[in-house]
PDB file of all heavy atoms in Angstrom:
ATOM      1  N   SER A 244      32.965 -37.962  -8.089  1.00  0.00           N
ATOM      2  CA  SER A 244      31.747 -38.263  -7.311  1.00  0.00           C
ATOM      3  C   SER A 244      30.477 -37.929  -8.073  1.00  0.00           C
ATOM      4  O   SER A 244      29.488 -38.675  -8.012  1.00  0.00           O
ATOM      5  CB  SER A 244      31.745 -37.470  -6.002  1.00  0.00           C
ATOM      6  OG  SER A 244      32.933 -37.680  -5.304  1.00  0.00           O
ATOM      7  N   ALA A 245      30.529 -36.816  -8.806  1.00  0.00           N
ATOM      8  CA  ALA A 245      29.322 -36.390  -9.504  1.00  0.00           C
ATOM      9  C   ALA A 245      28.914 -37.403 -10.580  1.00  0.00           C
ATOM     10  O   ALA A 245      27.728 -37.694 -10.752  1.00  0.00           O
ATOM     11  CB  ALA A 245      29.534 -35.009 -10.126  1.00  0.00           C
ATOM     12  N   VAL A 246      29.911 -37.935 -11.285  1.00  0.00           N
ATOM     13  CA  VAL A 246      29.612 -38.941 -12.307  1.00  0.00           C
ATOM     14  C   VAL A 246      28.992 -40.175 -11.655  1.00  0.00           C
ATOM     15  O   VAL A 246      27.978 -40.713 -12.106  1.00  0.00           O
ATOM     16  CB  VAL A 246      30.888 -39.361 -13.085  1.00  0.00           C
ATOM     17  CG1 VAL A 246      30.540 -40.365 -14.169  1.00  0.00           C
ATOM     18  CG2 VAL A 246      31.591 -38.150 -13.678  1.00  0.00           C
ATOM     19  N   MET A 247      29.610 -40.618 -10.567  1.00  0.00           N
ATOM     20  CA  MET A 247      29.095 -41.778  -9.829  1.00  0.00           C
ATOM     21  C   MET A 247      27.652 -41.528  -9.418  1.00  0.00           C
ATOM     22  O   MET A 247      26.773 -42.376  -9.589  1.00  0.00           O
ATOM     23  CB  MET A 247      29.911 -41.965  -8.538  1.00  0.00           C
ATOM     24  CG  MET A 247      31.139 -42.804  -8.637  1.00  0.00           C
ATOM     25  SD  MET A 247      30.793 -44.582  -8.707  1.00  0.00           S
ATOM     26  CE  MET A 247      30.368 -44.908  -6.999  1.00  0.00           C
ATOM     27  N   GLN A 248      27.429 -40.354  -8.855  1.00  0.00           N
ATOM     28  CA  GLN A 248      26.126 -39.969  -8.350  1.00  0.00           C
ATOM     29  C   GLN A 248      25.086 -40.039  -9.471  1.00  0.00           C
ATOM     30  O   GLN A 248      23.997 -40.605  -9.308  1.00  0.00           O
ATOM     31  CB  GLN A 248      26.235 -38.536  -7.794  1.00  0.00           C
ATOM     32  CG  GLN A 248      24.944 -37.973  -7.216  1.00  0.00           C
ATOM     33  CD  GLN A 248      24.431 -38.805  -6.048  1.00  0.00           C
ATOM     34  OE1 GLN A 248      25.189 -39.520  -5.406  1.00  0.00           O
ATOM     35  NE2 GLN A 248      23.116 -38.738  -5.804  1.00  0.00           N
ATOM     36  N   GLU A 249      25.484 -39.481 -10.617  1.00  0.00           N
ATOM     37  CA  GLU A 249      24.588 -39.424 -11.769  1.00  0.00           C
ATOM     38  C   GLU A 249      24.157 -40.828 -12.199  1.00  0.00           C
ATOM     39  O   GLU A 249      23.032 -41.048 -12.643  1.00  0.00           O
ATOM     40  CB  GLU A 249      25.375 -38.732 -12.894  1.00  0.00           C
ATOM     41  CG  GLU A 249      24.583 -38.347 -14.099  1.00  0.00           C
ATOM     42  CD  GLU A 249      25.532 -37.952 -15.228  1.00  0.00           C
ATOM     43  OE1 GLU A 249      26.580 -37.307 -14.956  1.00  0.00           O
ATOM     44  OE2 GLU A 249      25.248 -38.333 -16.386  1.00  0.00           O
ATOM     45  N   TRP A 250      25.075 -41.790 -12.077  1.00  0.00           N
ATOM     46  CA  TRP A 250      24.789 -43.145 -12.547  1.00  0.00           C
ATOM     47  C   TRP A 250      24.176 -44.038 -11.478  1.00  0.00           C
ATOM     48  O   TRP A 250      23.616 -45.088 -11.774  1.00  0.00           O
ATOM     49  CB  TRP A 250      26.070 -43.800 -13.078  1.00  0.00           C
ATOM     50  CG  TRP A 250      26.390 -43.378 -14.477  1.00  0.00           C
ATOM     51  CD1 TRP A 250      27.093 -42.274 -14.864  1.00  0.00           C
ATOM     52  CD2 TRP A 250      25.999 -44.035 -15.684  1.00  0.00           C
ATOM     53  NE1 TRP A 250      27.166 -42.202 -16.220  1.00  0.00           N
ATOM     54  CE2 TRP A 250      26.510 -43.276 -16.762  1.00  0.00           C
ATOM     55  CE3 TRP A 250      25.273 -45.191 -15.979  1.00  0.00           C
ATOM     56  CZ2 TRP A 250      26.318 -43.632 -18.095  1.00  0.00           C
ATOM     57  CZ3 TRP A 250      25.082 -45.550 -17.307  1.00  0.00           C
ATOM     58  CH2 TRP A 250      25.601 -44.774 -18.348  1.00  0.00           C
ATOM     59  N   THR A 251      24.322 -43.653 -10.220  1.00  0.00           N
ATOM     60  CA  THR A 251      23.840 -44.555  -9.162  1.00  0.00           C
ATOM     61  C   THR A 251      22.581 -44.037  -8.478  1.00  0.00           C
ATOM     62  O   THR A 251      22.026 -44.717  -7.615  1.00  0.00           O
ATOM     63  CB  THR A 251      24.935 -44.787  -8.094  1.00  0.00           C
ATOM     64  OG1 THR A 251      25.373 -43.514  -7.605  1.00  0.00           O
ATOM     65  CG2 THR A 251      26.114 -45.536  -8.673  1.00  0.00           C
ATOM     66  N   SER A 252      22.135 -42.844  -8.864  1.00  0.00           N
ATOM     67  CA  SER A 252      20.958 -42.290  -8.179  1.00  0.00           C
ATOM     68  C   SER A 252      19.646 -42.835  -8.740  1.00  0.00           C
ATOM     69  O   SER A 252      18.601 -42.720  -8.117  1.00  0.00           O
ATOM     70  CB  SER A 252      20.974 -40.761  -8.257  1.00  0.00           C
ATOM     71  OG  SER A 252      21.008 -40.357  -9.609  1.00  0.00           O
ATOM     72  N   HIS A 253      19.702 -43.428  -9.922  1.00  0.00           N
ATOM     73  CA  HIS A 253      18.500 -44.022 -10.495  1.00  0.00           C
ATOM     74  C   HIS A 253      18.361 -45.479 -10.067  1.00  0.00           C
ATOM     75  O   HIS A 253      19.358 -46.149  -9.818  1.00  0.00           O
ATOM     76  CB  HIS A 253      18.550 -43.958 -12.029  1.00  0.00           C
ATOM     77  CG  HIS A 253      18.632 -42.571 -12.565  1.00  0.00           C
ATOM     78  ND1 HIS A 253      17.532 -41.774 -12.747  1.00  0.00           N
ATOM     79  CD2 HIS A 253      19.698 -41.833 -12.946  1.00  0.00           C
ATOM     80  CE1 HIS A 253      17.908 -40.608 -13.225  1.00  0.00           C
ATOM     81  NE2 HIS A 253      19.224 -40.612 -13.357  1.00  0.00           N
ATOM     82  N   TYR A 254      17.141 -45.944 -10.034  1.00  0.00           N
ATOM     83  CA  TYR A 254      16.910 -47.325  -9.624  1.00  0.00           C
ATOM     84  C   TYR A 254      17.484 -48.304 -10.663  1.00  0.00           C
ATOM     85  O   TYR A 254      17.269 -48.154 -11.864  1.00  0.00           O
ATOM     86  CB  TYR A 254      15.419 -47.600  -9.446  1.00  0.00           C
ATOM     87  CG  TYR A 254      15.166 -48.957  -8.823  1.00  0.00           C
ATOM     88  CD1 TYR A 254      15.018 -49.093  -7.454  1.00  0.00           C
ATOM     89  CD2 TYR A 254      15.111 -50.112  -9.612  1.00  0.00           C
ATOM     90  CE1 TYR A 254      14.820 -50.337  -6.871  1.00  0.00           C
ATOM     91  CE2 TYR A 254      14.922 -51.359  -9.041  1.00  0.00           C
ATOM     92  CZ  TYR A 254      14.781 -51.462  -7.676  1.00  0.00           C
ATOM     93  OH  TYR A 254      14.604 -52.703  -7.099  1.00  0.00           O
ATOM     94  N   ALA A 255      18.204 -49.290 -10.193  1.00  0.00           N
ATOM     95  CA  ALA A 255      18.736 -50.356 -11.057  1.00  0.00           C
ATOM     96  C   ALA A 255      19.084 -51.536 -10.173  1.00  0.00           C
ATOM     97  O   ALA A 255      19.859 -51.384  -9.227  1.00  0.00           O
ATOM     98  CB  ALA A 255      19.985 -49.881 -11.808  1.00  0.00           C
ATOM     99  N   ALA A 256      18.515 -52.689 -10.455  1.00  0.00           N
ATOM    100  CA  ALA A 256      18.783 -53.842  -9.585  1.00  0.00           C
ATOM    101  C   ALA A 256      18.643 -55.157 -10.330  1.00  0.00           C
ATOM    102  O   ALA A 256      17.793 -55.314 -11.211  1.00  0.00           O
ATOM    103  CB  ALA A 256      17.826 -53.831  -8.397  1.00  0.00           C
ATOM    104  N   THR A 257      19.499 -56.081  -9.973  1.00  0.00           N
ATOM    105  CA  THR A 257      19.349 -57.450 -10.459  1.00  0.00           C
ATOM    106  C   THR A 257      18.294 -58.139  -9.604  1.00  0.00           C
ATOM    107  O   THR A 257      17.931 -57.645  -8.536  1.00  0.00           O
ATOM    108  CB  THR A 257      20.677 -58.215 -10.307  1.00  0.00           C
ATOM    109  OG1 THR A 257      21.057 -58.165  -8.935  1.00  0.00           O
ATOM    110  CG2 THR A 257      21.770 -57.592 -11.152  1.00  0.00           C
ATOM    111  N   GLU A 258      17.848 -59.267 -10.070  1.00  0.00           N
ATOM    112  CA  GLU A 258      16.873 -60.107  -9.369  1.00  0.00           C
ATOM    113  C   GLU A 258      17.151 -60.193  -7.865  1.00  0.00           C
ATOM    114  O   GLU A 258      16.267 -59.939  -7.042  1.00  0.00           O
ATOM    115  CB  GLU A 258      16.976 -61.527  -9.955  1.00  0.00           C
ATOM    116  CG  GLU A 258      15.681 -62.141 -10.387  1.00  0.00           C
ATOM    117  CD  GLU A 258      15.928 -63.299 -11.376  1.00  0.00           C
ATOM    118  OE1 GLU A 258      17.074 -63.415 -11.905  1.00  0.00           O
ATOM    119  OE2 GLU A 258      14.991 -64.071 -11.595  1.00  0.00           O
ATOM    120  N   ASP A 259      18.416 -60.532  -7.534  1.00  0.00           N
ATOM    121  CA  ASP A 259      18.795 -60.742  -6.136  1.00  0.00           C
ATOM    122  C   ASP A 259      18.550 -59.514  -5.267  1.00  0.00           C
ATOM    123  O   ASP A 259      18.213 -59.630  -4.090  1.00  0.00           O
ATOM    124  CB  ASP A 259      20.303 -61.058  -6.027  1.00  0.00           C
ATOM    125  CG  ASP A 259      20.664 -62.313  -6.793  1.00  0.00           C
ATOM    126  OD1 ASP A 259      19.735 -63.065  -7.156  1.00  0.00           O
ATOM    127  OD2 ASP A 259      21.870 -62.536  -7.033  1.00  0.00           O
ATOM    128  N   MET A 260      18.798 -58.345  -5.849  1.00  0.00           N
ATOM    129  CA  MET A 260      18.750 -57.121  -5.058  1.00  0.00           C
ATOM    130  C   MET A 260      17.454 -56.352  -5.267  1.00  0.00           C
ATOM    131  O   MET A 260      17.271 -55.275  -4.694  1.00  0.00           O
ATOM    132  CB  MET A 260      19.932 -56.219  -5.445  1.00  0.00           C
ATOM    133  CG  MET A 260      21.299 -56.855  -5.298  1.00  0.00           C
ATOM    134  SD  MET A 260      21.792 -56.997  -3.558  1.00  0.00           S
ATOM    135  CE  MET A 260      22.374 -55.321  -3.248  1.00  0.00           C
ATOM    136  N   HIS A 261      16.576 -56.873  -6.095  1.00  0.00           N
ATOM    137  CA  HIS A 261      15.375 -56.128  -6.485  1.00  0.00           C
ATOM    138  C   HIS A 261      14.416 -55.919  -5.314  1.00  0.00           C
ATOM    139  O   HIS A 261      14.177 -56.827  -4.519  1.00  0.00           O
ATOM    140  CB  HIS A 261      14.668 -56.869  -7.621  1.00  0.00           C
ATOM    141  CG  HIS A 261      13.456 -56.167  -8.126  1.00  0.00           C
ATOM    142  ND1 HIS A 261      13.495 -54.856  -8.545  1.00  0.00           N
ATOM    143  CD2 HIS A 261      12.178 -56.576  -8.283  1.00  0.00           C
ATOM    144  CE1 HIS A 261      12.277 -54.494  -8.945  1.00  0.00           C
ATOM    145  NE2 HIS A 261      11.460 -55.529  -8.790  1.00  0.00           N
ATOM    146  N   ASP A 262      13.867 -54.718  -5.238  1.00  0.00           N
ATOM    147  CA  ASP A 262      12.881 -54.378  -4.216  1.00  0.00           C
ATOM    148  C   ASP A 262      11.687 -53.768  -4.951  1.00  0.00           C
ATOM    149  O   ASP A 262      11.699 -52.601  -5.346  1.00  0.00           O
ATOM    150  CB  ASP A 262      13.510 -53.382  -3.236  1.00  0.00           C
ATOM    151  CG  ASP A 262      12.537 -52.921  -2.170  1.00  0.00           C
ATOM    152  OD1 ASP A 262      11.301 -53.034  -2.375  1.00  0.00           O
ATOM    153  OD2 ASP A 262      13.017 -52.437  -1.132  1.00  0.00           O
ATOM    154  N   GLU A 263      10.676 -54.581  -5.158  1.00  0.00           N
ATOM    155  CA  GLU A 263       9.547 -54.177  -5.995  1.00  0.00           C
ATOM    156  C   GLU A 263       8.870 -52.893  -5.480  1.00  0.00           C
ATOM    157  O   GLU A 263       8.520 -52.009  -6.269  1.00  0.00           O
ATOM    158  CB  GLU A 263       8.527 -55.322  -6.089  1.00  0.00           C
ATOM    159  CG  GLU A 263       7.344 -55.070  -7.024  1.00  0.00           C
ATOM    160  CD  GLU A 263       7.723 -54.928  -8.504  1.00  0.00           C
ATOM    161  OE1 GLU A 263       8.795 -55.456  -8.914  1.00  0.00           O
ATOM    162  OE2 GLU A 263       6.968 -54.264  -9.251  1.00  0.00           O
ATOM    163  N   ASN A 264       8.767 -52.793  -4.177  1.00  0.00           N
ATOM    164  CA  ASN A 264       8.130 -51.606  -3.613  1.00  0.00           C
ATOM    165  C   ASN A 264       8.898 -50.334  -3.952  1.00  0.00           C
ATOM    166  O   ASN A 264       8.326 -49.346  -4.411  1.00  0.00           O
ATOM    167  CB  ASN A 264       7.987 -51.729  -2.091  1.00  0.00           C
ATOM    168  CG  ASN A 264       6.929 -52.756  -1.748  1.00  0.00           C
ATOM    169  OD1 ASN A 264       6.049 -53.045  -2.569  1.00  0.00           O
ATOM    170  ND2 ASN A 264       7.023 -53.330  -0.561  1.00  0.00           N
ATOM    171  N   ARG A 265      10.211 -50.402  -3.744  1.00  0.00           N
ATOM    172  CA  ARG A 265      11.046 -49.233  -4.068  1.00  0.00           C
ATOM    173  C   ARG A 265      10.944 -48.912  -5.551  1.00  0.00           C
ATOM    174  O   ARG A 265      10.886 -47.744  -5.955  1.00  0.00           O
ATOM    175  CB  ARG A 265      12.512 -49.501  -3.701  1.00  0.00           C
ATOM    176  CG  ARG A 265      12.940 -48.943  -2.343  1.00  0.00           C
ATOM    177  CD  ARG A 265      14.466 -48.960  -2.224  1.00  0.00           C
ATOM    178  NE  ARG A 265      15.107 -48.200  -3.305  1.00  0.00           N
ATOM    179  CZ  ARG A 265      16.299 -48.506  -3.846  1.00  0.00           C
ATOM    180  NH1 ARG A 265      16.976 -49.542  -3.429  1.00  0.00           N
ATOM    181  NH2 ARG A 265      16.792 -47.762  -4.817  1.00  0.00           N
ATOM    182  N   PHE A 266      10.988 -49.946  -6.373  1.00  0.00           N
ATOM    183  CA  PHE A 266      10.915 -49.786  -7.831  1.00  0.00           C
ATOM    184  C   PHE A 266       9.647 -48.997  -8.190  1.00  0.00           C
ATOM    185  O   PHE A 266       9.704 -48.022  -8.956  1.00  0.00           O
ATOM    186  CB  PHE A 266      10.897 -51.176  -8.477  1.00  0.00           C
ATOM    187  CG  PHE A 266      11.069 -51.186  -9.979  1.00  0.00           C
ATOM    188  CD1 PHE A 266      12.017 -50.379 -10.610  1.00  0.00           C
ATOM    189  CD2 PHE A 266      10.299 -52.043 -10.776  1.00  0.00           C
ATOM    190  CE1 PHE A 266      12.187 -50.427 -12.000  1.00  0.00           C
ATOM    191  CE2 PHE A 266      10.459 -52.082 -12.158  1.00  0.00           C
ATOM    192  CZ  PHE A 266      11.399 -51.282 -12.761  1.00  0.00           C
TER     193      PHE A 266
END
Side-chain angles (χ1 to χ4, degrees):
Chain A
S244 307
V246 182
M247 272 284 285
Q248 180 61 23
E249 190 192 322
W250 279 86
T251 55
S252 58
H253 299 277
Y254 189 93
T257 57
E258 231 160 346
D259 300 345
M260 303 286 279
H261 182 54
D262 177 339
E263 184 65 24
N264 289 337
R265 263 194 57 213
F266 190 43

